[in-house]
Amino acid sequence: DQIIIVNATSLSIDERTSFKTQLETDQNISNTSLCSTPPGETLFTFGVTLPGNSGDEDKRLVFYQLFVDENFLTTMGISLKEGRYFSERISADSLTSFVINEAGAKAIGKNPISQQIETPNIYTGTRAIKNVVGVISDFHFSSFHSAVEPLILEFSPKYAGYVLIRFNPTNT
């Protein structure tokens, strides 16, 4: 695929959004997105807790975490398998919603849509309970040589400092 990654972590969220908007006017670019860690890099991991398992360390599930914007799936060419994806029109998405991959759904072991998951907030040190609103297809967010692990996507563009740019293959 023809995707390049720009490290824009030194820019504010407003500057990153403006940069994305400028890029999208170029006919050679088909999509842009923001993410916290580019594909192929090491993602942050944490233990999540399902309701009824609070404080039960041996029942925590290990998930990788990625902060994204509303264009991540389209830019990366990832399909939505079940439920819905994030929308900037739904302000609660950043506060109350997760999207997980198929490996994450398998780890949960039951219908994940509307499943509550408790996670730590790496920025505030508190814990948050959010609902799974969608399941995406598995993709290699780390090495192609390792199995795809459970992944949580969180809608939080302010923590997404990398710009992904997908080029239009007919114009490049």
Side-chain angles (χ1 to χ4, degrees):
D1 289 334
Q2 300 175 7
I3 297 175
I4 65 166
I5 301 163
V6 175
N7 182 340
T9 55
S10 64
L11 302 178
S12 71
I13 182 59
D14 291 336
E15 291 168 323
R16 288 191 304 267
T17 302
S18 176
F19 179 55
K20 268 185 52 178
T21 302
Q22 286 179 309
L23 288 170
E24 291 167 354
T25 64
D26 187 319
Q27 67 179 2
N28 296 310
I29 296 173
S30 62
N31 274 300
T32 63
S33 180
L34 297 174
C35 67
S36 58
T37 306
E41 298 290 326
T42 303
L43 299 179
F44 181 76
T45 61
F46 54 70
V48 303
T49 307
L50 302 178
N53 295 341
S54 294
D56 202 348
E57 298 252 349
D58 63 333
K59 292 189 177 180
R60 287 196 180 148
L61 303 172
V62 175
F63 274 76
Y64 287 84
Q65 178 188 40
L66 187 60
F67 295 109
V68 297
D69 70 1
E70 69 283 353
N71 297 325
F72 183 75
L73 290 190
T74 305
T75 302
M76 290 294 295
I78 300 167
S79 61
L80 181 68
K81 294 296 198 176
E82 188 178 352
R84 68 173 182 84
Y85 190 64
F86 303 122
S87 171
E88 64 183 341
R89 290 186 217 126
I90 302 173
S91 60
D93 272 355
S94 64
L95 301 172
T96 64
S97 303
F98 288 129
V99 171
I100 62 174
N101 65 354
E102 291 172 301
K106 185 176 179 181
I108 290 173
K110 55 185 168 185
N111 182 2
I113 301 299
S114 298
Q115 173 69 52
Q116 289 188 326
I117 298 177
E118 182 179 336
T119 64
N121 181 313
I122 62 171
Y123 294 100
T124 65
T126 61
R127 298 191 69 77
I129 296 175
K130 297 184 179 186
N131 293 308
V132 175
V133 296
V135 177
I136 61 170
S137 60
D138 284 339
F139 69 100
H140 287 276
F141 54 84
S142 188
S143 169
F144 284 114
H145 303 288
S146 60
V148 176
E149 300 289 334
L151 174 68
I152 285 178
L153 299 183
E154 289 194 61
F155 181 69
S156 192
K158 70 180 178 182
Y159 297 131
Y162 289 85
V163 180
L164 305 177
I165 306 164
R166 177 180 283 277
F167 287 90
N168 186 343
T170 59
N171 293 338
T172 54

